Short mmCIF file of all heavy atoms in Angstrom, two decimals:
data_model
loop_
_atom_site.label_atom_id
_atom_site.label_comp_id
_atom_site.label_asym_id
_atom_site.label_seq_id
_atom_site.Cartn_x
_atom_site.Cartn_y
_atom_site.Cartn_z
N GLU F 142 -123.10 122.43 0.32
CA GLU F 142 -123.96 122.47 -0.87
C GLU F 142 -125.40 122.08 -0.53
O GLU F 142 -126.35 122.67 -1.04
CB GLU F 142 -123.39 121.55 -1.96
CG GLU F 142 -124.18 121.54 -3.25
CD GLU F 142 -124.18 122.88 -3.97
OE1 GLU F 142 -123.22 123.67 -3.83
OE2 GLU F 142 -125.19 123.16 -4.66
N MET F 143 -125.58 121.09 0.34
CA MET F 143 -126.93 120.69 0.75
C MET F 143 -127.65 121.87 1.40
O MET F 143 -128.81 122.14 1.11
CB MET F 143 -126.87 119.50 1.71
CG MET F 143 -128.24 119.08 2.22
SD MET F 143 -128.23 117.64 3.31
CE MET F 143 -127.28 118.26 4.68
N GLY F 144 -126.95 122.58 2.28
CA GLY F 144 -127.54 123.75 2.92
C GLY F 144 -127.92 124.81 1.91
O GLY F 144 -128.99 125.43 2.01
N ARG F 145 -127.07 125.04 0.93
CA ARG F 145 -127.37 126.03 -0.11
C ARG F 145 -128.61 125.62 -0.90
O ARG F 145 -129.50 126.43 -1.15
CB ARG F 145 -126.18 126.18 -1.05
CG ARG F 145 -124.90 126.65 -0.40
CD ARG F 145 -124.64 128.11 -0.63
NE ARG F 145 -123.32 128.48 -0.14
CZ ARG F 145 -123.10 129.04 1.05
NH1 ARG F 145 -124.09 129.27 1.86
NH2 ARG F 145 -121.88 129.36 1.42
N ARG F 146 -128.66 124.35 -1.30
CA ARG F 146 -129.80 123.86 -2.09
C ARG F 146 -131.11 123.91 -1.30
O ARG F 146 -132.18 124.04 -1.90
CB ARG F 146 -129.55 122.43 -2.56
CG ARG F 146 -128.49 122.33 -3.64
CD ARG F 146 -128.37 120.91 -4.13
NE ARG F 146 -127.29 120.75 -5.07
CZ ARG F 146 -127.03 119.64 -5.73
NH1 ARG F 146 -127.78 118.56 -5.53
NH2 ARG F 146 -126.01 119.57 -6.56
N ALA F 147 -131.02 123.80 0.03
CA ALA F 147 -132.22 123.85 0.87
C ALA F 147 -132.67 125.29 1.14
O ALA F 147 -133.72 125.50 1.73
CB ALA F 147 -131.95 123.14 2.19
N GLY F 148 -131.86 126.27 0.71
CA GLY F 148 -132.22 127.66 0.92
C GLY F 148 -131.94 128.16 2.33
O GLY F 148 -132.58 129.10 2.80
N LEU F 149 -130.97 127.53 2.99
CA LEU F 149 -130.63 127.96 4.34
C LEU F 149 -129.98 129.34 4.31
O LEU F 149 -129.40 129.75 3.32
CB LEU F 149 -129.69 126.97 5.02
CG LEU F 149 -130.19 125.53 5.19
CD1 LEU F 149 -129.21 124.73 6.03
CD2 LEU F 149 -131.58 125.48 5.79
N ARG F 150 -130.03 130.01 5.45
CA ARG F 150 -129.45 131.35 5.58
C ARG F 150 -127.95 131.32 5.36
O ARG F 150 -127.37 132.23 4.78
CB ARG F 150 -129.77 131.90 6.96
CG ARG F 150 -129.20 133.26 7.21
CD ARG F 150 -129.69 133.80 8.53
NE ARG F 150 -129.07 135.09 8.77
CZ ARG F 150 -129.04 135.66 9.93
NH1 ARG F 150 -129.60 135.07 10.97
NH2 ARG F 150 -128.46 136.83 10.09
N GLY F 151 -127.29 130.27 5.88
CA GLY F 151 -125.85 130.20 5.73
C GLY F 151 -125.28 128.85 6.12
O GLY F 151 -126.00 127.95 6.54
N ALA F 152 -123.97 128.74 5.94
CA ALA F 152 -123.28 127.48 6.19
C ALA F 152 -121.96 127.74 6.91
O ALA F 152 -121.26 128.71 6.62
CB ALA F 152 -123.02 126.74 4.88
N ILE F 153 -121.65 126.83 7.82
CA ILE F 153 -120.42 126.89 8.61
C ILE F 153 -119.65 125.60 8.36
O ILE F 153 -120.20 124.51 8.48
CB ILE F 153 -120.74 127.01 10.12
CG1 ILE F 153 -121.60 128.25 10.38
CG2 ILE F 153 -119.46 127.02 10.94
CD1 ILE F 153 -122.30 128.25 11.73
N ARG F 154 -118.38 125.76 8.01
CA ARG F 154 -117.53 124.58 7.78
C ARG F 154 -116.58 124.42 8.95
O ARG F 154 -115.98 125.38 9.42
CB ARG F 154 -116.71 124.75 6.50
CG ARG F 154 -115.80 123.55 6.21
CD ARG F 154 -114.85 123.81 5.06
NE ARG F 154 -115.56 124.14 3.82
CZ ARG F 154 -116.00 123.22 2.96
NH1 ARG F 154 -115.80 121.95 3.18
NH2 ARG F 154 -116.60 123.60 1.85
N VAL F 155 -116.46 123.18 9.40
CA VAL F 155 -115.41 122.81 10.34
C VAL F 155 -114.34 122.14 9.50
O VAL F 155 -114.62 121.15 8.81
CB VAL F 155 -115.93 121.84 11.43
CG1 VAL F 155 -114.80 121.42 12.34
CG2 VAL F 155 -117.06 122.50 12.23
N LYS F 156 -113.14 122.72 9.51
CA LYS F 156 -112.05 122.19 8.66
C LYS F 156 -111.78 120.73 8.96
O LYS F 156 -111.83 120.29 10.10
CB LYS F 156 -110.77 122.98 8.88
CG LYS F 156 -110.73 124.30 8.18
CD LYS F 156 -109.34 124.92 8.34
CE LYS F 156 -109.31 126.33 7.83
NZ LYS F 156 -108.01 126.94 8.10
N SER F 157 -111.46 120.02 7.89
CA SER F 157 -111.09 118.61 7.99
C SER F 157 -110.03 118.34 6.93
O SER F 157 -109.55 119.27 6.28
CB SER F 157 -112.33 117.73 7.77
OG SER F 157 -112.77 117.84 6.43
N GLU F 158 -109.73 117.08 6.74
CA GLU F 158 -108.75 116.72 5.71
C GLU F 158 -109.36 116.76 4.31
O GLU F 158 -108.65 116.60 3.32
CB GLU F 158 -108.18 115.32 6.01
CG GLU F 158 -109.14 114.16 5.79
CD GLU F 158 -110.22 113.99 6.86
OE1 GLU F 158 -110.14 114.60 7.94
OE2 GLU F 158 -111.18 113.23 6.59
N LYS F 159 -110.66 117.01 4.22
CA LYS F 159 -111.35 117.01 2.93
C LYS F 159 -111.05 118.28 2.14
O LYS F 159 -110.96 119.37 2.70
CB LYS F 159 -112.86 116.88 3.16
CG LYS F 159 -113.23 115.58 3.85
CD LYS F 159 -114.68 115.55 4.26
CE LYS F 159 -114.95 114.26 5.03
NZ LYS F 159 -116.09 114.38 5.90
#
Side-chain angles (χ1 to χ4, degrees):
E142 182 64 28
M143 178 178 64
R145 299 259 188 263
R146 289 184 186 186
L149 300 187
R150 179 174 178 197
I153 302 163
R154 180 188 302 274
V155 177
K156 281 186 188 175
S157 68
E158 71 285 347
K159 298 171 184 157

